[in-house]
Amino acid sequence: MTATGRIVVAGGSMGGLRAAEQLRAAGWTGTITVVGDEPHMPYNRPPLSKEVLAGTAPFESLAFTPKPAAADVEWRLGTGVVSARLAERTVALDDGSTLPYDGLVVATGMRPRRLRCPGPRTGRHTVRTLADAQDLRDELTRPGARVVVVGAGFIGCEVAATAVGLGVREVTVVDPLPLPMVGPLGELLGRALLKRHEERGVRFALGAAVAGFEGEDRVTGVVLGDGTVLPADVVVESVGSVANVEWLEGNGLDLSDGVLTCEQLRVGGRPEVVAVGDVARFPNARYDGVPRRVEHWSIPTDTAKHAARALAAHLTGVQADLAPFAPLPTFWSDQHDFRLQSFGAPVLGLDDVRVLDGEPDGDVLVGYHRDGRLAGVVALGGHRAATGAARYRAQLLKQPALTA
């Protein structure tokens, strides 16, 4: 096939943009149509829970500028995908139209999970979109606001830190686990993070579940499982994400946790369909081959580059040397005046955690090991710690695959 057909990119966030750019880089000269349900061009999401909430980053500073090679890409914004017929190679949009395609990129990402507890909805927020962050900032800057953040993961802790920095008089983080971020980082760093947040004014209710919300028209309190009520004018729900895959139902795909792909990011054995970003559940040849979703900022770009080459090669008939997809996951998180910086897959080494440099009360570099080998590193602190983590990047890239 010559590159004269159409590729539809379902999803107008960073993953969709990077897919369009990488398709051009891979030699696709046909039509590319990106469909996204937000009205904005793609923008950078990590600042939403930090700089945007703090009021130090206007939207113009978040928007990505598409590369010149992708200037001719067609953008259909404010329009979401509602269904797909993969056998017929069509997708249906929420404006009633249908788009035929020769190639399809699944880039619909995630949405925040919501608590299903009794009580009012007004005053309860999530942080995923620009509109979410703008609405929450309006609430956080109300004089005397009392804020309860449900969820002590990355977003929850970032929001709590930002709220304290704004001068919010009372910020409490609730989580059923015993330490913040203990799931992805383990107890050692979980304890260090708890101490740092408490020293800066964040309160915690750990080992506690939310049973409901008090209030009539809007929330006035958070009811915990033991009956304790935390006064709250503003609630932020940061309890995980749900993959936007419902539109793919009925096509015989594994959608149990995102959309399952092969090691080339192809979906359901169809070479004309690929997935990118945090909606993709892929085996990472760098590790044990177990398919996992990865919700890190680097993943949309990494997946887009590989998936675009695989899709363009199939559609154009031009052979490409495609090794199995093997990214090195990378993430960072800015909270208060410190940063978490990670390379690799710490979650695979939670049973063997060692301090590589420094002390947990100061700048510290922590290694996560599996079968005696380094699986990932995490730095906590300032520039010195982050620089230390970066030194391990080359070592992690050179290591042979970890076994299951």
Side-chain angles (χ1 to χ4, degrees), residues 150-290:
V150 184
F154 290 99
I155 299 299
C157 286
E158 288 174 359
V159 169
T162 303
V164 166
L166 283 170
V168 174
R169 68 165 181 165
E170 192 173 300
V171 180
T172 305
V173 178
V174 179
D175 198 284
L177 296 177
L179 292 167
M181 286 179 279
V182 67
L185 300 181
E187 292 185 9
L188 190 153
L189 285 184
R191 288 192 297 269
L193 286 164
L194 176 62
K195 181 179 179 181
R196 292 177 191 229
H197 276 279
E198 289 181 331
E199 288 174 345
R200 290 159 176 81
V202 180
R203 305 176 185 182
F204 285 85
L206 299 170
V210 174
F213 299 94
E214 288 193 336
E216 295 295 332
D217 296 331
R218 65 170 292 138
V219 66
T220 60
V222 177
V223 183
L224 304 184
D226 63 0
T228 301
V229 178
L230 301 176
D233 306 294
V234 182
V235 173
V236 182
E237 298 178 26
S238 181
V239 291
S241 303
V242 179
N244 293 316
V245 295
E246 292 83 358
W247 64 281
L248 288 167
E249 291 176 352
N251 289 287
L253 304 178
D254 183 341
L255 305 176
S256 57
D257 179 19
V259 56
L260 179 65
T261 79
C262 72
E263 61 186 9
Q264 301 299 347
L265 297 173
R266 293 170 174 144
V267 175
R270 295 180 174 274
E272 77 280 5
V273 184
V274 295
V276 304
D278 48 12
V279 74
R281 177 162 50 100
F282 58 87
N284 188 336
R286 186 173 302 281
Y287 300 112
D288 52 18
V290 176

Side-chain angles (χ1 to χ4, degrees), residues 65-88:
T65 301
K67 295 180 179 179
D72 62 345
V73 169
E74 176 190 7
W75 291 86
R76 298 186 61 167
L77 300 175
T79 303
V81 292
V82 293
S83 65
R85 294 185 178 183
L86 301 190
E88 300 175 16

